Amino acid sequence: MQNLKRFSQNYGAVLGLVILGLIIAMALAAPLLFPGNPWRTVAMPLLRPMENPDFLLGTDMLGRDIAAGIAHGAKVSLLIGVVSTLVAVLIGVSIGALAGFYGGRVDDLLMRFTEFFQIIPAFAMAVVLVAIFSPNIVSITLAIAVVSWPGVARLVRAEFLSLREREFVQAAIVIGQSGPRIIMTQVLPNAISPIIVTASLMVATAILTESALSFLGLGDRNMMSWGFMIGAARTMLREAWWMSFFPGLAILLAVLAINLIGEGINDLMNPHLRGRKK
Amino acid sequence: MLSFTLQRIGKAVVVIIGVIILNFLLIKLAPGDPAAILAGEAGSGDPQYLENLRAQFGLDRPVPVQLWNYLSGVLTGDLGFSYRNQVPVLSLILERLPATLLLTGAAFAFSLATGVLFGVMAARYRGSALDSIITTLALVFYATPLFWIALMSVLLFSINLGWLPPFDMETIGAGYTGWRRALDIAHHLILPAVTLGLFYTAVYTRLTRASMLEVMGLDFVKTARAKGVPNKRIIRRHVLRNAVLPVFTFASMQAGQLVGGAILTETVFAWPGIGRLMFDALMQRDYPVLLGVFLVTAIVVVIVNFIADLLYRIVDPRIGIA
Amino acid sequence: MAQDAPAAEVTPGGALNMIVQPEPPMLIVGLNTQGPTLYVAGQIYQSLLTYDASLNPLPQLAKSWEVSEDGLTYTFSLQEGVKWHDGEPFTSADVVFAATEFLVDAHPRWRLIAEAYVESVTAPDDLTVVFKMKKPFSAFLYGFELSSFPIMPKHIYQGTDYRTNPANSTPIGTGPFKFKEWQRGSFIHLVRNEDYWKDGKPYLDELYFRVIPDAASRSIAFEQGTVDVLRGGDVEGFAIRTLTALPGVESTTAGWEYFSPQMFIQPNLRLEVFADRNIRKAMYHALDRDFIVNAIFFGQGKAARGPFSATTMFHDPDLQQYPFDMDLAKKLVAESGIDLSKHPIRLMGLPYGSTWDRLAEYVKQQLEELGFVVTIQAVDAGGWLQNIGSFNFDLAFNFLYQFGHPAQGVSRNYYSDNIVQGTHAGNNQAYANPEVDALFTKAADAVNQEDAAAAYTQVQEILAEDVPLLWTFDMQNTTIYRDKVKNLVRTAIGLNEPMDDVWIAK
Amino acid sequence: MSSAEAPLLSVKGLSIPLPPGFDRDYAIKDITYDLDAGEILCVVGESGSGKSMTANALMGLLPSYLKPSDGSIEYKGRDLLSRSEEELRELRGREIAMVFQEPLSALNPLMTVGDQIDEVMLVHGETDRSVRARRVMDLLDYVGLPDPKTLKDSYPFRLSGGQRQRVVIAMALALEPSVLIADEPTTALDVTTQAQILDLIKRIQQAKGMGVIFVTHDFGVVADIADRVVVMEKGLVVETGPAEQVLNAPRHPYTRRLIKAVPHRRAEDGADASSPAADDVLLEVRNLNKTYRSGGGLFAKPRIVPAVQKISLTLRQGQTLGIVGESGSGKSTLGRVIIKLTPSDGGQILYNGKDIAPLSPAAFRPMRQKIQMIFQDPFASLNPRQTVGRILVDGPLANGVSRAAAQRRAEELLARVGLDASAYKRYPHEFSGGQRQRIGIARALMLDPEVLIADESVSALDVSVQEQVLKLLKEIQDQLKLGMIFITHDLRVAAQICDSVAVMRRGEIVEMGPPSQIFDAPQHEYTQRLIAAIPGKGWDPQEAAQGSYEETV
Ligand SMILES: Nc1ncnc2c1ncn2[C@@H]1O[C@H](COP(=O)(O)OP(=O)(O)OP(=O)(O)O)[C@@H](O)[C@H]1O
Ligand SMILES: Nc1ncnc2c1ncn2[C@@H]1O[C@H](COP(=O)(O)OP(=O)(O)OP(=O)(O)O)[C@@H](O)[C@H]1O
Ligand SMILES: [Mg+2]
Ligand SMILES: [Mg+2]
């Protein structure tokens, strides 16, 4: 409750929530606002924004409605962002938790393994994975997850390493709780805030990565996503600026919003942490 | 120091071998037979021709044998032979590596310098309009797709204003040498390096700001104030050094990521580096080249981390002996 | 097209800047005959012949040639005084080496011809080469330009492993320009061959082929004057319109007659739905190919009128046509009694840029309107080749060069014994019609052109009725160049022709 | 009032309001006291009473969002509050210097010790490098640091806590200020080091005639050094006066309560020290060893710390065994090894005659309930994400007790440790430190242990709360007759509750015996030193707290 109040005082975070809320609403309402398929030709190609009041954001070279694309694309972009993050967090938390909690040889082994993934540039790895397993929404999502978990693993490991030494964890050992139970009930709940903050940033990064993949022609051709729209529009940058401008703006707003929320959570968490340490 | 170096080298070798094996297996997992693709490109595909190609590239042997051959090749400095370019992989990569090192190095230096500068300014004037402007800009650049920035900056600075060349690494055919050439390359470097670096500028700005604020709250800063040290000097002598260390460490760990970003930048700016080489190799299923690029990147990253660690040890007395 | 300028006007010297896209893997045209390789290597290597816009043979390294009455002996007389770039003389031995060793080993098309038709290749003297045939081959004389018959230096390659020969990094040819430098990822630099066998030529001092991976950047490069020439495919269709409108810029669609690429949609006939001819016809009717050409390809092409490109020999202008008619298409589907929604299909586009993506999106739309459930299968270049070559596709985009003669560029798509894995240029859809096989063979083996023409007309009619492929459009490639560049496109192989006549007005 | 008569430093009616949302409106309210040249003024009070806040206000070092609302601070007759930041800066370090509590974090880790001392002079206008260098050497020497020549080029991390605190003091003395403010400068240090630092401050103060404000919460320290005392409670000054009077004849009830709570030797000490039946041996430790090896790698030398060496001891039913020793002597390690939180390297731990040392963690888990632990930090030892109820029942649940039974037991024990039943549903952060420690005790008792290990269980608490918790432990111990190992660094606390005391140094037990022997007739030289260093020996708080009120009125 108190947290909620503190959060609401963080204007940036509230703004982020509002923007994200609008984007989610748009994604959900897309089938109502723009019924049918966003790939359909609905008007003259290359209408400028506002030129025709029915197509406020203009149309692309095949006469498809940009606004419809953005509304439908919101779903795909958010979906990829959220699902890939969930998968990455799942992998990262499992590996980080085991390494951090058990330490020693387990830690060594898992961290070396993590390093293998970390040392290859994430985007390059994602490109390879998507290309190799042929671009579709599943391979894209998984590829993004595969390259983004090491960060989570490291973070969780560090958290677990320090939490493991905390007295309340020691107390849990002393009263005879089992290792897995301690991880789940004692340590993890206390590491959740930084995980959430990181995850929120990862959603943002995932949306960016998806768009970059699309830009390289490694997007899912059956899904209208923002990144795909920019990728498709980039060669027409000079003839039809609006084709890439609006999806670019949408990405920027979404990422910005998620970031602001993440930072809000971060701020929320920090005084809390300080209070706990004192 | 020697034992540290040895230890790090030992660790690095393990990591790099791990990376090789991981990549190798990944690529073996991939559907797509390089020989078939090569044959396809040449327009022919009778089985005998395919068999010849496979035998020539050693693709007909079992995977563990291939892996072993590759590994032992790598140990002797032989990264294999490019199926497609008919050139030893190592020479192909070495030819392209300097361009990427230059690009990513410049982007790295640019982002670190500007990031730290802006971060310090924002933290120093925390809560002021300047702070708001810097943090907002950092957020915006953090959230803007790299390629979008690249395209827009070409539009603005090359086409509309005509200040900066939009692609290539130097003026081809101009035949510049010495200083003239260096200047020419620097001129071509500005756009790609800045666009590649902007995202990291944003990252480092935020990191530096947070780190500065944290250090500012530490006890020894209070001690310095109690000594009567002027504010400027506190920031410079006490806060900055302590705050920048973690930023540097983070940056060195991130250095490899720049190579990922270079794929996009090199594409847009026609920069002849290994990012683009990697992408082409991938598209053509030229796996030895792909593996080689990954390997070389990993080695570069390991070296960068090592140098960073070494510097860290020199700058931070606490780690020196531990 | 041969616009030879009066010699007085010519201002020799200067450098010509071009773009090579994508960067070729190598310049050894004997080992790789892809477009980019040919573009650059065309200035270094040469072949015996070249062809004018109407596909009549013109001399190149062959000064003249004779065909015996029975069509079984071809005799070429070579140019005198031709030297390889390393100073060695070029002789008939090099041609024999190419025809009997190098190309048989490394060149897929030549090997097939050589195996099927060529009895022997001999060199009675240093400047004469004689091909003796097993049986007549009406297309034989159309296979002697660079992409079909590149001549490689015997003294460098004989007895070596061609692929790993260290000389591959410094190509040695007979052409007007010599290899100087290749900065991978950046540019290829050729310089004037001082010892070129045509006196006083070439006019240009230097050629630069730049590597610019991004299409938008390429069009900027031309606009800003960094490059002087854009080859077809260098920039996207809509950019062609804006670039040609610039002052001082000229363009031509000539220079592709020999290749005449035709784009088609390839249904995998192994699938039950596609095995039904009515369904294929319905799909064909469902596509507005004029829209494709005009809206998607910005006018760069012409709707195809049959299996033979309209610019090639033996094209039959009176074939049965399949105009855009969605109602008729739906009726055909209804007649077939097949429920298309029960047959979800994958559509594999071409990985060559956003225009092709748009085409895939459009085709998907149309087929879905017809009742199909379509997923676009996104692939990269490697994946596309892999899938086509291993028949792992439902419906694929493809395009093929026609190489001047149906026997070289068309029949390969329909021969039932060409249903082989590992190539994108075979009968990948698995079309088998003995009648078609027989007619193609008959045409190819014909001694005189009339017999060939009759057979080809017949086979076109059968194919037009069968629609094994959905011939979509004859591709058009526009070459854009600054008007100061003279004599650029002169023959049917366009920019692959040695630029020994090209000059830049000062 | 001529400036000669004016006090050196004079605080009048100083109030600092807190922003809304804090536990109280004022950090400090209406604070008034004077400091004369050449005296040591001790400011005492419990945690949060505003001691540090006042000290910081004097230096002008308040956080930006806190501003004095009323009152004045006069230094040599001139008001400080109205000065500009630049003027204050000039004053800091030159006229008024400060020493902080945490020696570990008060020094910049990336600057050599010499440079940090040098800097004070540099920023106050001493431009001659050689003059400064000489002075640095003098100062280091003066505060009793060995080998100043090499030390000045060392980084702080190489120095021990006591050495660092000396460096901070040297820094404060660099420009011979008239006022030295020391905010709990010895709280983080060992008794022996503390005694040395106290000596040092006293010596300097006398030599230089400085006025010293010494903030502390330890009445023993006050007794040792104070000339005058200010007692603070919840932001208010409740009593001021000469040390003599405040210590021995406190007027304010709060002061008396504080003094009464100061740990002291039990009167009946020694009487029942050997009373437990000799055969009720619960736990016997034989030749226990533990050596830490860390930082070792393929090519690196590991750091080796022999934390527990050949320790043998016996714990009987109903007995409280105290373990005392300086920081780092291995007390906690011993406790952790016995309870198997840290594996031992050798030796036996016989519990009811069975050696538990070699058991695997899984094999030992069922036995854990019999050996329980109370932790040091009441804030860190309770999971902030769980309700008190959950914290309590987790133990029994893990040991197969039904939820209902566990809950009943939890409610019982909450009452037993003096907490309201409503505590069951609340979260730890809603409790004070003392209450939390009670929860920690209840958690340990949930499992009906026979052995209880308490590691610094009261060290983090204020004296008055500490006293209550000690009392609770004593009661429980008497009732349940368990065996308790009580680890502490505070010898006074050990003296108050233990039946037997073991003194540890560098992993070894140097002396063991009943408190009477340890405190009154220490055998070992080290024990003697420890005992000698206890602050405020010459002063008996019990006596002061009891009779004095009548006497002085
Ligand atoms: N930076 C701060 N911001 C806001 N309130 C503070 C701050 N520091 C202390 N306080 C509040 O001011 C009051 C007095 O705190 P102060 O630190 O002076 O206590 P103290 O007597 O020094 O306690 P301790 O013995 O724990 O050091 C407390 O209520 C505390 O919560
Ligand atoms: N996990 C560990 N790894 C390595 N060394 C350790 C570890 N824990 C403690 N030590 C070292 O072992 C020695 C004994 O530490 P221990 O914590 O037992 O001392 P202590 O007597 O409890 O001190 P304190 O009074 O400060 O709590 C110290 O030198 C300490 O640095
Ligand atoms: Mg304090
Ligand atoms: Mg301890």
Side-chain angles (χ1 to χ4, degrees), chain B residues 3 6-7 10 219-220 222-223 225-231 233 237-238 241-242 245 315-318 321, chain D residues 56 59 61 89 92-93 100 105-111 116 119-120 122-124 155 157 171 299-300:
Chain B
S3 82
L6 283 177
Q7 194 190 349
D219 283 358
F220 66 82
K222 206 163 146 197
T223 310
R225 288 182 67 200
K227 288 198 300 198
V229 181
N231 227 333
R233 193 183 157 88
R237 296 274 307 186
H238 294 274
R241 270 180 70 188
N242 282 285
L245 274 184
V315 177
D316 191 340
R318 284 166 296 186
I321 51 153
Chain D
N56 288 336
M59 292 296 282
L61 289 181
R89 189 189 69 69
R92 284 183 213 134
F100 295 97
S105 56
L107 292 171
N108 185 341
L110 300 187
M111 238 170 141
Q116 299 197 45
E119 192 181 32
V120 190
L122 179 72
V123 299
H124 287 290
Y155 288 91
F157 76 96
M171 215 153 66
F299 303 96

Side-chain angles (χ1 to χ4, degrees), chain A residues 37-206:
Chain A
N37 188 331
W39 299 92
R40 248 174 346 138
T41 298
V42 290
M44 287 276 298
L46 299 182
L47 277 180
R48 302 180 149 273
M50 307 301 216
E51 193 174 323
N52 179 337
D54 286 343
F55 307 101
L56 275 182
L57 304 185
T59 57
D60 74 358
M61 64 288 239
L62 291 187
R64 298 176 293 209
D65 187 356
I66 304 272
I70 287 187
H72 286 269
K75 191 177 64 197
V76 178
S77 289
L78 289 182
L79 202 72
I80 289 180
V82 170
V83 175
S84 67
T85 301
L86 282 182
V87 177
V89 166
L90 203 72
I91 305 174
V93 167
S94 317
I95 290 189
L98 290 179
F101 189 77
Y102 289 106
R105 223 165 268 274
V106 180
D107 182 28
D108 254 13
L109 211 73
L110 289 176
M111 280 303 109
R112 266 315 97 69
F113 182 69
T114 310
E115 245 168 72
F116 299 156
F117 280 86
Q118 228 175 7
I119 216 152
I120 309 169
F123 184 65
M125 180 93 158
V127 166
V128 171
L129 286 174
V130 171
I132 284 179
F133 296 102
S134 88
N136 57 58
I137 193 159
V138 177
S139 72
I140 291 170
T141 309
L142 288 183
I144 296 177
V146 164
V147 300
S148 32
W149 68 261
V152 186
R154 290 206 161 263
L155 173 93
V156 172
R157 170 179 176 267
E159 283 289 316
F160 267 59
L161 271 181
S162 90
L163 282 170
R164 183 181 64 160
E165 296 304 324
R166 289 282 185 82
E167 288 189 344
F168 67 83
V169 178
Q170 307 281 317
I173 298 175
V174 167
I175 60 174
Q177 281 192 329
S178 65
R181 200 173 168 81
I182 293 175
I183 292 182
M184 295 309 292
T185 66
Q186 308 283 355
V187 189
L188 199 54
N190 282 286
I192 213 82
S193 302
I195 296 175
I196 288 178
V197 173
T198 315
S200 76
L201 297 186
M202 279 167 61
V203 174
T205 318

